[in-house]
Amino acid sequence: MNIVLLGAPGAGKGTQGQKLVEDCGFAHISTGDLLRAAVKAGSELGVKAKSYMESGQLVPDQLVIDMVKERLDSDDANKGFILDGFPRNTAQAVALDSELADMGRDLDAALLVSVPDEAVVARLSSRRTCKSCGYTAPAGTDTCPRCEGEMYQRDDDKAETIQHRLDTYHTQTAPLIEYYKGHSILKEVDGNRPVDEVYADVKDLLNL
Ligand code: AP5
């Protein structure tokens, strides 16, 4: 299956994506994780992306589109993928459709994880992320349960940046809900419930 995960920052896209990957073996393509790795490595892409990410703005489309195209060409994406954090606006969605058409592939579902803004702010303020593998967990988790790496607070999970990210989501990404409704592949799950309850519905919605 080829799936796009939609939702506000902190809605739980990464959390649900990680579970789908563990259960189904799909490739997990998180543009946020790829960009953070590029920043950490100090690559040309990372240097260009850093300031946008720190201020909660979208990184320029072409940089992200090229990065995703390269990742979709990898062998592990052939058995199905979960795109987490991409597309983020209509231009990226159109570029994705065109790339998949060139590859003779298609999207099976765009899964919207819905969570109210207030819950998102609370989650992101207390989120910790693994420095090594990107696993996320609430504050209080000092060692990664998956790889024993060190947990830290992302720069963009500081209060002043969270509101910018939410504004960016509502103005630029939320219109994709209508876009995928128009393609008849939108599915929506109430993400404001315990992780396992959300995941049970995710599997039902995706017929997994
Ligand atoms: P990115 O890394 O994609 O961040 P995001 O979309 O803002 O999403 P998050 O990773 O913050 O949240 P999530 O929905 O995955 O939630 P999570 O599962 O971690 O992007 C970062 C930046 O990179 C962007 O701002 C932009 O600059 C750039 N970028 C990325 N992609 C781009 C693109 N395509 N174009 C341009 N720029 C791009 O959960 C959050 C917390 O809540 C965790 O602590 C988790 O444990 C907890 N939680 C999860 N589910 C539940 C639940 N059901 N109940 C209680 N707690 C929960």
Side-chain angles (χ1 to χ4, degrees):
M1 281 193 99
N2 302 325
I3 302 162
V4 159
L5 290 178
L6 288 177
K13 304 180 296 295
T15 301
Q16 297 300 322
Q18 282 164 2
K19 292 180 85 65
L20 284 169
V21 168
E22 279 158 23
D23 273 0
C24 307
F26 302 132
H28 188 188
I29 305 178
S30 158
T31 45
D33 286 351
L34 291 170
L35 289 167
R36 278 184 289 281
V39 170
K40 193 173 165 190
S43 67
E44 194 184 336
L45 169 63
V47 170
K48 286 180 180 158
K50 192 170 189 282
S51 61
Y52 295 97
M53 296 175 75
E54 282 174 351
S55 62
Q57 297 175 69
L58 294 185
V59 172
D61 289 341
Q62 203 54 51
L63 294 177
V64 184
I65 290 166
D66 290 345
M67 182 180 80
V68 170
K69 278 186 185 170
E70 194 181 320
R71 188 64 185 81
L72 285 173
D73 275 337
S74 310
D75 285 346
D76 68 331
N78 284 329
K79 63 189 175 210
F81 58 77
I82 295 173
L83 272 170
D84 169 1
F86 182 92
R88 279 291 231 278
N89 58 28
T90 308
Q92 294 183 11
V94 170
L96 175 63
D97 286 346
S98 155
E99 176 66 11
L100 290 176
D102 287 349
M103 297 171 88
R105 305 179 71 179
D106 217 346
L107 285 178
D108 298 294
L111 178 69
L112 171 65
V113 184
S114 294
V115 175
D117 285 3
E118 313 79 70
V120 152
V121 172
R123 283 185 192 181
L124 292 181
S125 313
S126 74
R127 172 170 62 180
R128 297 298 178 267
T129 302
C130 176
K131 271 189 179 168
S132 305
C133 74
Y135 190 89
T136 57
T141 314
D142 298 326
T143 305
C144 175
R146 186 162 69 181
C147 77
E148 301 194 346
E150 187 189 339
M151 305 295 281
Y152 78 112
Q153 183 175 32
R154 275 169 43 177
D155 284 340
D156 61 350
D157 280 349
K158 310 256 161 77
E160 58 278 16
T161 314
I162 293 172
Q163 192 53 51
H164 285 289
R165 290 166 63 199
L166 269 170
D167 292 344
T168 302
Y169 171 74
H170 288 298
T171 54
Q172 300 197 47
T173 310
L176 291 181
I177 297 168
E178 289 305 314
Y179 180 89
Y180 285 118
K181 260 188 203 164
H183 286 60
S184 307
I185 57 166
L186 186 81
K187 296 175 190 295
E188 181 171 3
V189 65
D190 174 4
N192 198 19
R193 295 173 297 150
V195 170
D196 288 338
E197 271 182 41
V198 178
Y199 186 55
D201 280 1
V202 165
K203 286 209 294 190
D204 279 352
L205 282 166
L206 298 175
N207 295 316
L208 292 170

